[in-house]
Amino acid sequence: MSAAAVTDEVLLAFAEEVGADGPVAVAGARTRWDVGGPLSDGTRVVTAPAGIVWHRPDEMTVLVRAGTTVADLHADLAAERQRTALPDRGGTVGGALAVGEDDVCVLGVDRIRTALLQARYVSAEGRMVTGGGPTVKNVSGYDLPRLLVGSLGTLGLLGEVLLRTNPVPPVSTWLAADGADAFAVADALYRPSAVLAVGDRTWVCLEGHGPDVDHEHGVVAGLGDFDEVDGPPPLPRHRWSLTRTDLRDLDVAALGDHVVSVGTGTVFAEHPQPRAAPPPALADLAGRIKHEFDPTGRLTPGRTP
């Protein structure tokens, strides 16, 4: 049996398990299980298939099933010195895409939305649907894959995805210093992969070719007493989205333990961000999209992206 036939068989079995009736949701490793609110009572929970179907290093793409952990995916890609924009925080590929949370080094690997080229998902009718394609030029119509990113499984249940891969940089190093101004550091560097702040302590991730990293290392050396460290600080589980102005004027009491990602508008916090009502036009659009994809509201009921 060909690889294509095998993967089709696996995905059709997943679609059959999801079925066409009754409330249903898909679970990964449950590392972000509370994002978007609790599931409605009586919701049946299924598990997406796992496994890497193929990796084509020369084309910088990988076909992987949604139940595969990000750690397993990146371990496999590392053999060819490649990675993806998906964050490795203990979860699955499908879970990372459904939540839509960028990697802490998003400035280096790009937004998670850009990684998803094609998605095969189970619709509310229990059918397997394919959206997207191996290259953007071969795709016409709506960009369904990017719409699914961050949708928390409310529009479709991911079974298999085609991802864009990135080269692992020759040099990658984390630096940290007390008393450095994280905003000044972010402004002074050319393209850091991450600039993080906790109180008056700043972390920086520099990646690239050796001479470039050495140059940027010299830049930060003039802004503080930076030392090499093993990696970023622990990231709290909740995510706030703010403007750069808001980042400078944070009410840290509302955050609890937190890590500010300077340059992205993201704050990882101990407490969830208070939910604000969306503008009426946006709420109407979201409702109409949900109705088109899931008219009976059976997919991941109770959650709001």
Side-chain angles (χ1 to χ4, degrees):
M1 185 180 293
S2 68
V6 170
T7 196
D8 284 346
E9 187 175 294
V10 169
L11 293 177
L12 289 174
F14 176 52
E16 184 176 354
E17 183 182 12
V18 172
D21 300 299
V24 63
V26 64
R30 300 183 185 237
T31 58
R32 295 292 180 275
W33 191 241
D34 54 356
V35 172
L39 286 176
S40 298
D41 292 340
T43 301
R44 182 167 53 92
V45 178
V46 299
T47 302
I52 298 171
V53 182
W54 50 252
H55 174 212
R56 295 174 179 164
D58 54 332
E59 297 178 9
M60 301 192 73
T61 53
V62 60
L63 186 65
V64 58
R65 295 177 187 135
T68 310
T69 66
V70 177
D72 285 346
L73 171 62
H74 284 175
D76 185 84
L77 297 180
E80 298 290 342
R81 294 199 58 78
Q82 292 186 0
R83 61 185 181 180
T84 73
L86 274 61
D88 183 3
R89 298 185 68 185
T92 63
V93 168
L97 292 167
V99 172
E101 180 179 302
D102 291 317
D103 187 77
V104 69
C105 288
V106 59
L107 298 177
V109 299
D110 210 349
R111 299 282 183 183
I112 190 174
R113 255 178 228 279
T114 66
L116 184 58
L117 298 174
Q118 183 181 73
R120 301 188 71 184
Y121 65 92
V122 182
S123 70
E125 296 78 20
R127 295 185 293 110
M128 185 59 62
V129 178
T130 301
T135 63
V136 175
K137 291 183 179 179
N138 290 342
V139 180
S140 61
Y142 294 109
D143 192 348
L144 290 181
R146 292 197 184 193
L147 186 62
L148 295 172
V149 176
S151 67
L152 298 177
T154 60
L155 303 180
L157 305 184
L158 288 169
E160 183 181 271
V161 294
L162 180 65
L163 301 174
R164 186 196 317 273
T165 64
N166 302 319
V168 173
V171 178
S172 179
T173 184
W174 279 92
L175 308 171
D178 292 321
D181 183 338
F183 292 90
V185 170
D187 290 339
L189 293 173
Y190 173 53
R191 291 186 65 180
S193 288
V195 179
L196 310 177
V198 180
D200 66 349
R201 186 165 175 81
T202 297
W203 281 260
V204 180
C205 181
L206 302 177
E207 295 185 314
H209 293 283
D212 297 325
V213 171
D214 289 343
H215 175 268
E216 295 294 87
H217 198 163
V219 172
V220 298
L223 299 171
D225 187 15
F226 281 88
D227 295 316
E228 289 195 20
V229 293
D230 292 336
L235 301 178
R237 62 183 294 104
H238 297 289
R239 178 183 46 161
W240 293 43
S241 296
L242 303 169
T243 66
R244 185 175 173 118
T245 300
D246 290 335
L247 290 179
R248 288 185 176 275
D249 302 317
L250 280 176
D251 178 8
V252 295
L255 298 169
D257 292 336
H258 66 280
V259 177
V260 178
S261 178
V262 177
T264 68
T266 299
V267 179
F268 300 95
E270 179 183 358
H271 306 302
Q273 186 173 14
R275 185 179 296 275
L282 181 59
D284 178 67
L285 176 60
R288 286 188 286 126
I289 291 174
K290 172 64 174 175
H291 180 76
E292 289 295 324
F293 278 79
D294 183 18
T296 65
R298 67 179 296 252
L299 298 180
T300 321
R303 295 233 167 101
T304 303

